[in-house]
Amino acid sequence: MGLLGLPFLTQSPGFCAKIYMTEATAKIGQLMMEDLVSMHKEFRCFYGPGDSSYPGWIKDLDSQKVPALLKKVVFGESGDDLGSWMRLYSLDDVESCMKKVQVVKFAEEVCYNGTLIIKALSSGLDIGACNWLINGPNASLSYVSNSILVSLHARNFDINGLKGLDVMVYSDFSCLQSAEVTENGCISPNPDNNYLSTISIDNKDEDLAASLLNTEDSLEEMEKLAFVCSCAAESADAGGSTLITITRVGIVLQLLELMSDYIESSSLKVPIFVISSVAEELLAYTNTIPEWLCDQRQEELISGEPWFDHLKFIKDLKFIKDEKIHLFPAIHSPNLITSWQEPCIVFAPHCSLRLGPSVQLLQRWRGDPKSLLVLEDGISSGLALLPFRPVAMKVLQCSFLSGIRLQKLPTLISILQPKIVLVPDAVSQRINLSEMKINSILNFSENKTLHVPRIADNSSVEITTDLASKLSWRKLRQRENFGIARLKGELQMEDGKHRLVTGLEQEESSGKARPLRYWGTVAQEPLLGALLKMGIKGSIEHSTSENGSENSMIHIANPSRGLIETSEMCTAIVAEDENVAYQILQGIDEVLDGI
Amino acid sequence: MAIDCFVLGAGQEIGKSCVVVTINGKRIMFDCGMHMGCDDHNRYPDFSLLSKSGDFDNVISCIIVTHFHMDHVGALPYFTEVCGYNGPIYMSYPTKALSPLMLEDYRRVMVDRRGEEELFTTTHITNCMKKVIAIDLKQTIQVDEDLQIRAYYAGHVLGAVMVYAKVGDAAIVYTGDYNMTTDRHLGAAKIDRLQLDLLISESTYATTIRGSKYPREREFLQAVHKCVAGGGKALIPSFALGRAQELCMLLDDYWERMNIKVPIYFSSGLTIQANMYYKMLISWTSQNVKEKHNTHNPFDFKNVKDFDRSLIHAPGPCVLFATPGMLCAGFSLEVFKHWAPSPLNLVALPGYSVAGTVGHKLMAGKPTTVDLYNGTKVDVRCKIHQVAFSPHTDAKGIMDLTKFLSPKNVVLVHGEKPSMMILKDKITSELDIPCFVPANGETVSVASTTFVKANASDMFLKSCSNPNLKFSNSTQLRVTDQRTSDGVLVIEKSKKAKIVYQDEVSELLHEKNHVVSLAYCCPVKAKGESDNDVDLIKQLSAKILKTVSGAQIHESEDCLQVGSFKGSLCLKEKCMHRPEISSCSEAVFLCCNWSVADLELGWEIINVMKLNLDNTCKVKGDLL
């Protein structure tokens, strides 16, 4: 669901970035985008303008004829209200968008530009959903989005992979939605349980993990699913049909599984219909990705069972004669009418109740008090149902867990022990994290750039042993513990690491490499001695310069005239003859450390 | 640091693959197979060589099984349940799903039909498989703090993988069995370009080089077609998974195309079950199959039926896929007993037959009678066809992979000694990579990569991000980039090495920089009256440019600058840097200084100016 807006971004002309997503996300995401496009196309067939342009009223709004006041109402104060509305993308847009995507496999490490190592770790939210781990030469960073710690269907939240990083960007906004008031007498299955609010941070890691990964949440989720099932069964018992508009893949799969089991074990004879242009492909795909499923479902693979039970009820498998789940691409599919029977249970998009097969079905059943509508959380049911009034059918709005519970955040942070945590403003207003024993917690907010202080002092460089053995080492006077060497080779960036490797062509410097930098002070007497050995005679003359610093000069007379001018910080060699100057330099090398 | 590669099985032979590699103290067992051609204790790798006391958990960090063939996974239940290994075991999802089926099938054949004593039980298989951790392609797994493993697609059978293992800076790849060409139902092996110290490769077909597989596919189809057209029965002994699907797809297509109505049978329910697995593990099949599976399941064969034992003696032609392959035991051998005496019939043997099996005997020559395991003899009058396409790579594929990965060393396993030796020579001579062919029980030790780790200062990294090109013009123009040579590696005893920019060294040593420079007040021109100083600088720089290649000269009114070389007109009567009175008494002087870094450059410029002086003096002398 996090990528339905992606084509809007990728179709803008300047867009050239690489997009990473997990293979499963890409596949399911593309199907969902295609479904959206097909529903929209159908909608346009009935209500939209014939050509592919904007509807007339949008075009007219832009023109001069429209009174300024009306414009202001429509576009809002800043002009970005309705004015920034865009036409829905087409199938071509979806395709070209997906071409820009680089898919990664489960826990695959990919390298961006040799610099960053990017890895997707399961977040537990849904099949294919992940948190990102980015390792660079200077720091490691994790991006934690909506996560479910113990999942009923998808691979669990990968805690171990996120431990001990430099920066953690916490981007789970689910806690902001949970406080929304639910309407229409629906259940609000989100009681605030405070069992985790008082955590002593000093607990052992294992205890913390245990408290974090307890199954209470998942049991609660299980209860919710069972409740939806029993509501649907009740309706069916009374002769009413159920329309489920939830589109979260994981929830749909679990509901399908539970319901078919429920029906199988009871005396009810209710068919289940899934009406969506992508239902068949989606359901088939979810049974081919064991790596994204939770352990228990993976185990079922060993015994040769489909990972999702519902599959055995689908006509596709020949050896199951008893069809319980029917898949149809659209409400006008030819075979739908022949197998249609009421009461039934229908899974159909779209959750907004404005698009797709759900619109027609709702028109059909809205007056029937025995029928049931199951809505997703997060949309206002009052607004959604407005065009269908008066609504006599029962409405069940359920909120399923869609992220980390806020109370668990401190525990999570103390297990992961990042050096810096970035928390959204809106989240940190709701929870006091200041008592955490974490180096620092920073807040970030929309449209503001936050500069995170640098963590590591130094970057690491790896030198091949081959190259290291070729370096010419210098011993330092009076510092036996030190060895220094000028570097050679080529510095490369590989797998997010700086590496110094043997270069293609090393210019062999003529003779012995000369030091280019010196430090310390020149002692005159030893220098004179060193020069004498080479047959150069000189005499010392001390002087004090105008600013009071000590200067000394060594006059050289033999073999040709020259002068060595030294002070504490610098030495100048004056000579007409190149060879003499060179010899003097060698003398200096002997009394001065350099590299 | 070294990598030790200890070959427990499949050294200079095919069967019971088992290689134990020690990388920087971590010990990984690759494959744990059994030998299909042996009945005695040689069937299993000699695990006692790993640990006398049998404490395998402490000597082995993990086991990785590359695919579900018995010669790669057959000894696993024995090793975990009987020998007591309890550590982690990794295999791909399909291998984890299909191995128990293969193991159970083999166990049943061995115990029920051949009446051998049980080496492991069904419970052993179940318990063993519970310890297995399933992995996905390219999933990077941290086995422990130091050991990292990753699987790559190998293409040999469904779920076959090559394995990359890394400890510290040392890394190896163990290929398992692999196929470098795309099959009908599987893709070709695919691996990243990795930096490896050692590549352990299979070498089943170390000397064979195959052309296109289509003529050989046609050969097979025609052989089968001819047999059934003549009213004969064709027996294809194969393992339930892998070749059976490949050949079945081929036959099913052909049947459809040629409109043949002769039934094709599968011998056991296992194959049906296996096909169901194939459907679920569709992401591990070839691109072609993956694309098609949305509309039509390629493993739903139109012409394939289940075989019943009573059909063995039924009249009329048929094609039968019977397990196990190689005619080593079980149902396929039983059918062979009945069908072999008829000259109408055909036995098509796909893939490799291990020495000691009936399949191997049939391939080895044209026997008229064959001894079965229990002493009975069978007359062989039927035709024998060897299916000449195999899911193993050929010699070219091995060379291609080796060249692509360019490892520092190669070890060959899983092959026949004579052809392995030929391939070894080829790898050594053509690719210049040391290659080893250890026998069972032998160990190959190779050096492993280590990096010296150092902390680098920002200044150094910053200086390295800009090119620092140097031009030299000895015989031809050479451009070298010497940005790293501005860096200095500093090592202090018992501390981590540091890399700093050259200007930072003194600070690191708590010393003060000392600048050493050269200076010389150089006479450049005899004094004339009309000459303008600005012209002089211009003249000089033009001359310098001519002699000193690639010099970038900055000039101003009374001075010029090249790199660190600075020269300015000296008007002093007596300059400190003017050690001698020039031969030309009245001269214009340029007072120069330059740093030691530009030692040679400085003197080159000085020489240009001296030459200039000589010329002007001469001119003046002539005038006088």
Side-chain angles (χ1 to χ4, degrees), chain A residues 113-320:
Chain A
N113 206 8
T115 320
L116 301 175
I117 309 261
I118 302 171
K119 188 174 177 182
L121 300 171
S122 54
S123 73
L125 180 68
D126 214 329
I127 293 167
C130 67
N131 295 319
W132 293 97
L133 180 66
I134 302 173
N135 259 307
N138 294 324
S140 55
L141 176 145
S142 65
Y143 178 84
V144 178
S145 64
N146 292 24
S147 301
I148 292 182
L149 302 170
V150 181
S151 173
L152 283 171
H153 68 291
R155 180 58 78 91
N156 280 344
F157 180 70
D158 186 342
I159 282 195
N160 290 327
L162 297 172
K163 274 184 188 164
L165 300 175
D166 293 332
V167 182
M168 167 173 153
V169 183
Y170 184 78
S171 180
D172 186 337
F173 291 88
S174 62
C175 57
L176 305 180
Q177 290 166 4
S178 60
E180 249 182 33
V181 191
T182 44
E183 300 169 45
N184 261 26
C186 319
I187 53 158
S188 122
N190 213 349
D192 264 308
N193 26 14
N194 292 318
Y195 54 88
L196 263 174
S197 54
T198 50
I199 308 156
S200 65
I201 307 293
D202 301 323
N203 269 6
K204 286 244 171 69
D205 226 28
E206 292 83 48
D207 296 347
L208 284 175
S211 74
L212 198 64
L213 299 177
N214 66 16
T215 49
E216 249 169 274
D217 273 348
S218 63
L219 286 177
E220 205 182 306
E221 290 300 297
M222 201 65 214
E223 275 169 28
K224 286 183 211 164
L225 290 166
F227 181 74
V228 174
C229 276
S230 65
C231 287
E234 249 170 58
S235 301
D237 249 348
S241 296
T242 303
L243 173 63
I244 300 168
T245 60
I246 293 168
T247 40
R248 253 176 75 184
V249 178
I251 303 287
V252 171
L253 290 173
Q254 290 176 72
L255 278 176
L256 266 177
E257 184 181 57
L258 268 179
M259 279 191 183
S260 44
D261 281 349
Y262 197 97
I263 292 166
E264 178 89 338
S265 62
S266 73
S267 57
L268 273 174
K269 285 274 171 279
V270 189
I272 300 173
F273 295 95
V274 183
I275 307 172
S276 153
S277 61
V278 295
E280 197 171 348
E281 211 177 326
L282 192 65
L283 293 183
Y285 179 70
T286 51
N287 273 286
T288 63
I289 36 173
E291 62 272 17
W292 282 106
L293 303 180
C294 63
D295 291 342
Q296 183 221 331
R297 285 179 199 275
Q298 265 188 30
E299 279 309 315
E300 282 164 13
L301 151 87
I302 299 307
S303 56
E305 295 282 319
W307 298 297
F308 280 106
D309 250 0
H310 63 78
L311 205 71
K312 66 184 177 211
F313 297 104
I314 295 176
K315 59 180 165 94
D316 184 53
L317 297 182
K318 283 188 245 170
F319 48 93
I320 303 288

Side-chain angles (χ1 to χ4, degrees), chain A residues 107 155 298 302 304 454 459 461 463 479 481 483 485-487 489 505 517-518 520 561 569 571 573-574 576, chain B residues 93 138 140 276-277 452 454 456 458 478 484-485 487 489 491 493 502-503 509 512 514-515 517 519-520 579-580:
Chain A
R155 180 58 78 91
Q298 265 188 30
I302 299 307
R454 186 167 165 178
S459 314
V461 172
I463 308 166
R479 287 174 197 268
N481 287 342
R486 205 165 261 283
L487 290 176
E505 197 184 351
R517 292 289 187 280
Y518 294 91
R561 285 176 58 120
M569 300 289 286
T571 299
I573 302 164
V574 184
E576 188 193 25
Chain B
Y93 282 94
K138 294 201 173 176
T140 307
M276 196 178 123
Y277 276 112
V452 178
D458 287 345
R478 293 206 313 167
T484 52
S485 61
L489 182 62
I491 291 180
K493 241 177 221 169
Q502 53 189 7
D503 291 346
L509 297 170
K512 277 190 179 142
H514 192 100
V515 181
S517 60
Y520 178 52
E580 274 180 79

